[in-house]
Amino acid sequence: DNVHDKSRGSLIVLEGLDRSGKTSQSNRLVSYLKEKGVLVESWRFPDRTTSTGQMISAYLANESQLDDRAIHLLFSANRWEKRSLMESKIMCGTTLIVDRYSYSGVAFSAAKGLDFQWCKAPEVGLIAPDLVIYFDISPEKAAERGGYGTERYEKLEFQKKVAEHYSTLRDASWKIVDACLPMDIVEEQVREFAMACILTCQKGKPLNKLWS
Ligand code: FDM
């Protein structure tokens, strides 16, 4: 009777400040899950390959100027244009490991002084992650790690504000990893959180919508 029932994949989001190590950990996690035979794909936002993504990329590189609200909505649109593809992949059994999502969207825009609730509004209705892993590091420690790059937001004072907004967004469901621990320890913790989540989703946990 269950021939049409196929267990779904998970939506796992990695968040944290710049230089928190989440991109390296995302790559490590994806390799590990592939070895374990999990159907998995590595995703990231902004997705710079789409036309909105190219506008975002130019903005981040300081090659273009955009109104704070306009760029906020572009980041959000960049997620909305991927929503249905994400849903079909997840429902067909693929787990998505996503480097940044709506939480970055809100934390970075609110750090510019935009109203927090206004920042959340366009994200309402996107797919809610089954798991958010937050790579916790102080802005000062992150800055010490070989310094920031040249992109628009990679400045200590700004990252401090981003960190504050991340703590407002955080809820009891988030898994917090101390990003200052040795990489292998962080990797092990991330694996455990991810595997537990994937099992729960396979057992039929429903896919939810964000912030509703
Ligand atoms: N960023 C990322 C935002 O400001 N809003 C968003 O919605 C997202 C997803 O873009 F500084 C910021 C965070 C970061 C920059 O991210 C680019 P990557 O991970 O460095 O590509």
Side-chain angles (χ1 to χ4, degrees):
D1 272 5
N2 286 330
V3 286
H4 299 293
D5 288 347
K6 202 167 160 291
S7 63
R8 74 168 176 94
S10 305
L11 178 58
I12 299 178
V13 166
L14 310 184
E15 286 282 3
L17 297 179
D18 287 293
R19 313 290 300 162
S20 62
K22 71 188 155 32
T23 304
S24 318
Q25 290 294 342
S26 168
N27 295 333
R28 288 181 175 212
L29 177 61
V30 170
S31 310
Y32 170 79
L33 292 174
K34 280 183 181 161
E35 279 168 28
K36 288 274 159 189
V38 175
L39 263 177
V40 63
E41 285 184 15
S42 170
W43 281 50
R44 68 178 311 132
F45 287 108
D47 177 340
R48 302 189 191 215
T49 65
T50 70
S51 52
T52 61
Q54 284 163 25
M55 292 174 73
I56 292 167
S57 197
Y59 173 82
L60 289 171
N62 290 303
E63 289 160 5
S64 69
Q65 306 305 321
L66 283 168
D67 175 84
D68 288 344
R69 289 179 180 79
I71 184 66
H72 181 76
L73 295 173
L74 278 179
F75 273 112
S76 185
N78 186 241
R79 283 182 279 281
W80 277 104
E81 65 188 355
K82 293 287 172 182
R83 196 212 64 85
S84 63
L85 180 62
M86 292 173 81
E87 182 176 19
S88 56
K89 293 219 178 232
I90 294 165
M91 294 320 289
C92 288
T94 299
T95 287
L96 307 181
I97 308 298
V98 186
D99 187 348
R100 298 193 185 284
Y101 197 55
S102 302
Y103 312 97
S104 284
V106 175
F108 280 76
S109 289
K112 295 171 168 174
L114 295 186
D115 180 74
F116 193 79
Q117 293 305 328
W118 187 91
C119 291
K120 283 177 87 172
E123 309 296 319
V124 172
L126 285 171
I127 306 170
D130 297 298
L131 170 64
V132 179
I133 302 177
Y134 184 75
F135 292 80
D136 195 23
I137 187 169
S138 74
E140 292 81 4
K141 282 244 174 71
E144 281 167 18
R145 288 187 165 181
Y148 292 124
T150 55
E151 282 203 331
R152 194 180 279 266
Y153 298 146
E154 300 181 3
K155 299 190 181 72
L156 179 57
E157 286 314 305
F158 190 77
Q159 298 280 323
K160 285 184 187 169
K161 290 183 189 150
V162 173
E164 281 170 26
H165 291 291
Y166 266 133
S167 39
T168 309
L169 287 164
R170 188 176 308 171
D171 68 37
S173 73
W174 286 28
K175 302 296 183 191
I176 314 294
V177 171
D178 179 351
C180 294
L181 291 172
M183 277 184 91
D184 291 354
I185 310 258
V186 173
E187 182 178 11
E188 187 57 39
Q189 292 182 359
V190 168
R191 284 177 179 183
E192 280 172 18
F193 290 139
M195 286 305 281
C197 170
I198 290 167
L199 286 176
T200 312
C201 294
Q202 280 175 352
K203 285 184 192 148
K205 171 181 175 275
L207 197 56
N208 291 319
K209 285 181 182 170
L210 208 49
W211 292 326
S212 41

